[in-house]
Amino acid sequence: MRKLIILFMVFVISLSISCNNMLDVEPENSVTFTNFYKNEQDLAVLVRGMHAILVPAFNKFNTLELVGVKADESPSGHIPIPDVFARFHEWNSIGTDWKNFYDAIYECNLLFDNVKTPVCSQDRMNFYYGQANFIKGLCYFQLVRYWGDVVISGHTEDTQARPKKPMVEVLDTALACAKRAYNLLTKHEDLVDQTGARITSKQYGSKGSAATLIANICAWKATVGKGLSDDEKRACLEEAELYASKVIDTDECGFYELESSVEQLVTNTLNSRGGKESIFEIELNARDESLNRTFTSARLFVSFPIIPGALPRDILDKQWRIRNESVLKMYEGTDERKNAFFYKPELYTENSDSARACGGYAFEYKFRKGLYSTQTSSGQTLQFLNFDVNRVFWRLADLILLRAEIRMNLENTAGAKVDLWTVQRRAKAPEYTSGDLQMAIFKEREKELIFEDHRYFDIRRNGDYYKTELPKNKVFVPFPFPHEEEEEVYSLLTEQDIADGALFLPIASGASYLNPLMIQNTYWFNRK
């Protein structure tokens, strides 16, 4: 018992040290960990701590993901543009703090800095080092997607101030970690804990999730990274295709399989935990309050029939809405996703009484398993709190469509079409025949992954799609009568604006308090 108490105290101390706003300059560590980690139990506690920190880093809805939401109607002024973003950021604070990512990286560095020799069998050391490398690589990748150029942390006892590093250098750091994780980790189905019990949680890194991370890093580097030659971009894309194919086409990375139908996808992967199509997911549950935050855009749209006691007309009270006619336009013909991801859109379009009841708006139905509270004013109707599901961060259909995009960029049109057709055929959707293949793949990802919040990052990987696929800003105009007007935002950005970081988040003001070398992204610095 005393040892467990000491372990807990050290873990809390390590968290407090890494969480004192010194993320931007690693804090001086008053605790010496070098000789503390003496056996496997110590390493198990440390790795569980890494995964505990990973949850709050990934269970909150980021501002950029919000901008990418597919919607016909949304609140005024929600888009981060120069005139409103600073105010919006301060008021809403929607996932715009990088602290949790660096806290997790700090915990990973505790292992790397202080456990130089094995304290248990080599296969178990591989597991712990593999988990730490996966988490560290994942966090740096996410930091880059949100902020672009970011700090690369030093050793846990290194107190020197550190400037931001170029995005490509950070991506290379993430890639090195991901490759080490790939080499160290086993297939998901072979993962076991220190007692020999099988690990079922897909939050734990595995060979499959590490390969998927590598594919995503390389795809991002090739398409968004600055200063790469054409040969370097092609090499990145080829590596991305290689590792995606290891997951999709071989059993080298473990067992992943598309659900047999869209309805099975919704039931067994998106509204269950650890489904066969899921590659990596963040564990969320009501017990540890990790379901207290909005982690999917579906929560912005949820209404009838998910919320007990809700009526179709209640959708009119939602700020975020998508029209049934938009749904039917997206999911044409026999595409089964229209009725699996939305609730009876044809009925609420073609039946005049039903259409009037909901104002022509669609009901989200992709996420259905709700978390409810009985603490209501009436005491009769359950109150919807959130979806009682994990955040499925990567799944197989996502990776197949990413490989289609990668193959298209490699001018492998035939391979890209095969991947595109694979997802379309599962949905019984009309198959691509001709036209703009790049746009067809983008739109297929938009349809397949709606409410899973990849869209903003898909737009970023596709060159100048930000000019047409990101929404216009809505501005409230009080005169001559109160109304809203749309104004162009993203289409007005110049190439220099993009290079200066206009499509990344601004760095939170607190980041520079203890780090004099921290510099705001150029675009946002010029708009203070």
Side-chain angles (χ1 to χ4, degrees):
M1 176 62 73
R2 184 183 179 192
K3 181 63 176 293
L4 290 175
I5 293 173
I6 293 172
L7 279 169
F8 177 75
M9 291 176 63
V10 170
F11 175 61
V12 172
I13 291 170
S14 70
L15 277 181
S16 64
I17 290 168
S18 66
C19 299
N20 65 352
N21 290 328
M22 288 292 284
L23 133 249
D24 312 295
V25 180
E26 290 293 356
E28 183 174 359
N29 188 346
S30 61
V31 179
T32 300
F33 294 102
T34 306
N35 297 317
F36 181 81
Y37 302 106
K38 295 180 179 180
N39 54 51
E40 183 171 2
Q41 179 62 29
D42 297 343
L43 300 190
V45 171
L46 180 59
V47 168
R48 284 198 295 270
M50 296 175 194
H51 280 285
I53 301 172
L54 201 61
V55 172
F58 282 85
N59 78 336
K60 50 189 174 184
F61 198 57
N62 191 282
T63 305
L64 297 184
E65 291 154 335
L66 189 74
V67 176
V69 171
K70 183 73 173 176
D72 288 321
E73 296 185 18
S74 57
S76 300
H78 80 276
I79 299 172
I81 61 172
D83 294 335
V84 302
F85 187 81
R87 182 177 70 252
F88 171 81
H89 174 62
E90 293 298 328
W91 287 355
N92 293 277
S93 300
I94 303 179
T96 51
D97 189 347
W98 60 19
K99 182 177 180 296
N100 290 124
F101 296 107
Y102 279 104
D103 286 346
I105 291 170
Y106 180 87
E107 292 293 309
C108 296
N109 286 341
L110 276 178
L111 177 63
F112 300 138
D113 292 349
N114 298 293
V115 186
K116 305 292 187 181
T117 57
V119 298
C120 51
S121 65
Q122 191 58 55
D123 65 319
R124 297 305 302 160
M125 291 300 298
N126 289 348
F127 170 80
Y128 296 116
Y129 279 123
Q131 294 301 317
N133 273 291
F134 175 73
I135 291 171
K136 186 173 180 178
L138 178 67
C139 287
Y140 274 129
F141 174 60
Q142 199 72 337
L143 284 164
V144 160
R145 293 207 300 173
Y146 288 153
W147 287 278
D149 300 344
V150 297
V151 173
I152 297 177
S153 295
H155 296 294
T156 49
E157 295 186 5
D158 185 354
T159 61
Q160 65 176 322
R162 291 179 177 272
K164 295 187 299 180
K165 294 294 185 181
M167 175 171 58
V168 169
E169 185 175 339
V170 184
L171 286 170
D172 287 340
T173 300
L175 184 59
C177 291
K179 287 183 175 180
R180 285 194 290 270
Y182 179 84
N183 291 327
L184 290 167
L185 293 170
T186 65
K187 302 174 184 179
H188 169 72
E189 51 266 35
D190 295 333
L191 292 177
V192 296
D193 65 15
Q194 72 273 19
T195 70
R198 182 170 177 265
I199 295 173
T200 58
S201 169
K202 287 196 173 179
Q203 181 173 312
Y204 276 79
S206 66
K207 196 172 286 292
S209 56
T212 304
L213 174 58
I214 292 170
N216 275 272
I217 292 171
C218 291
W220 187 267
K221 181 179 176 181
T223 53
V224 185
K226 295 185 290 185
L228 274 66
S229 67
D230 289 342
D231 288 343
E232 289 172 323
K233 291 178 182 178
R234 185 171 187 84
C236 288
L237 290 169
E238 289 173 345
E239 189 164 31
E241 182 185 21
L242 172 66
Y243 279 91
S245 298
K246 288 177 183 289
V247 179
I248 298 167
D249 297 332
T250 77
D251 62 0
E252 180 179 342
C253 295
F255 176 77
Y256 304 99
E257 185 178 50
L258 289 179
E259 297 285 358
S260 59
S261 68
V262 177
E263 187 62 32
Q264 290 296 305
L265 163 69
V266 170
T267 301
N268 297 333
T269 292
L270 298 178
N271 287 276
S272 297
R273 290 175 166 84
K276 66 180 181 180
E277 188 165 328
S278 171
I279 297 173
F280 172 67
E281 55 191 60
I282 298 297
E283 288 283 343
L284 304 174
N285 61 75
R287 293 188 304 276
D288 61 9
E289 299 184 350
S290 57
L291 281 173
N292 287 1
R293 292 172 169 173
T294 297
F295 60 91
T296 167
S297 56
R299 192 179 184 188
L300 305 174
F301 296 83
V302 67
S303 182
F304 169 87
I306 305 300
I307 297 179
L311 299 173
R313 66 171 179 266
D314 293 337
I315 192 73
L316 300 174
D317 296 327
K318 305 296 293 186
Q319 289 186 303
W320 292 82
R321 294 179 293 205
I322 184 168
R323 302 193 69 85
N324 276 312
E325 62 185 10
S326 298
V327 171
L328 297 178
K329 184 177 180 181
M330 286 178 67
Y331 304 102
E332 297 177 313
T334 57
D335 193 328
E336 294 182 347
R337 291 173 295 196
K338 62 187 170 190
N339 286 309
F341 297 172
F342 295 89
Y343 186 73
K344 299 182 178 179
E346 292 167 319
L347 171 66
Y348 285 94
T349 299
E350 297 167 0
N351 183 290
S352 58
D353 291 337
S354 298
R356 279 196 298 272
C358 65
Y361 294 106
F363 305 112
E364 184 281 327
Y365 203 49
K366 191 176 192 179
F367 293 93
R368 307 172 188 174
K369 185 180 179 183
L371 176 67
Y372 303 100
S373 170
T374 57
Q375 303 299 316
T376 63
S377 56
S378 65
Q380 297 177 347
T381 303
L382 294 175
Q383 179 186 5
F384 176 85
L385 300 177
N386 208 338
F387 296 106
D388 190 10
V389 298
N390 288 343
R391 181 183 182 184
V392 178
F393 198 74
W394 288 316
R395 59 183 175 93
L396 189 58
D398 164 19
L399 187 61
I400 291 171
L401 290 173
L402 178 66
R403 188 175 70 172
E405 179 186 305
I406 292 164
R407 286 175 162 177
M408 182 274 304
N409 284 319
L410 287 170
E411 300 178 338
N412 178 4
T413 302
K417 289 194 288 187
V418 168
D419 285 339
L420 179 58
W421 290 335
T422 296
V423 177
Q424 290 174 331
R425 286 168 182 166
R426 194 262 298 270
K428 295 182 171 58
E431 294 179 14
Y432 168 84
T433 54
S434 62
D436 186 340
L437 180 58
Q438 180 180 5
M439 180 58 76
I441 295 169
F442 171 80
K443 287 298 182 181
E444 192 62 33
R445 286 184 60 84
E446 183 178 83
K447 288 183 279 189
E448 177 69 20
L449 302 171
I450 193 169
F451 303 132
E452 295 178 56
D453 308 313
H454 297 277
R455 188 170 179 270
Y456 183 85
F457 306 109
D458 292 349
I459 291 169
R460 291 301 320 274
R461 289 195 313 273
N462 279 279
D464 62 359
Y465 277 23
Y466 67 88
K467 294 182 179 179
T468 57
E469 297 300 325
L470 290 178
K472 297 177 182 179
N473 191 45
K474 295 181 179 180
V475 180
F476 177 75
V477 180
F479 302 106
F481 58 89
H483 66 288
E484 285 186 341
E485 293 181 359
E486 290 187 334
E487 63 179 10
E488 294 289 342
V489 180
Y490 293 102
S491 62
L492 302 180
L493 293 173
T494 66
E495 290 185 7
Q496 189 59 54
D497 290 334
I498 303 302
D500 288 344
L503 295 178
F504 290 113
L505 291 170
I507 296 170
S509 58
S512 61
Y513 290 161
L514 298 174
N515 186 355
L517 299 182
M518 181 60 61
I519 299 174
Q520 180 60 271
N521 293 343
T522 302
Y523 180 84
W524 298 109
F525 178 81
N526 292 333
R527 284 156 179 80
K528 284 185 177 180

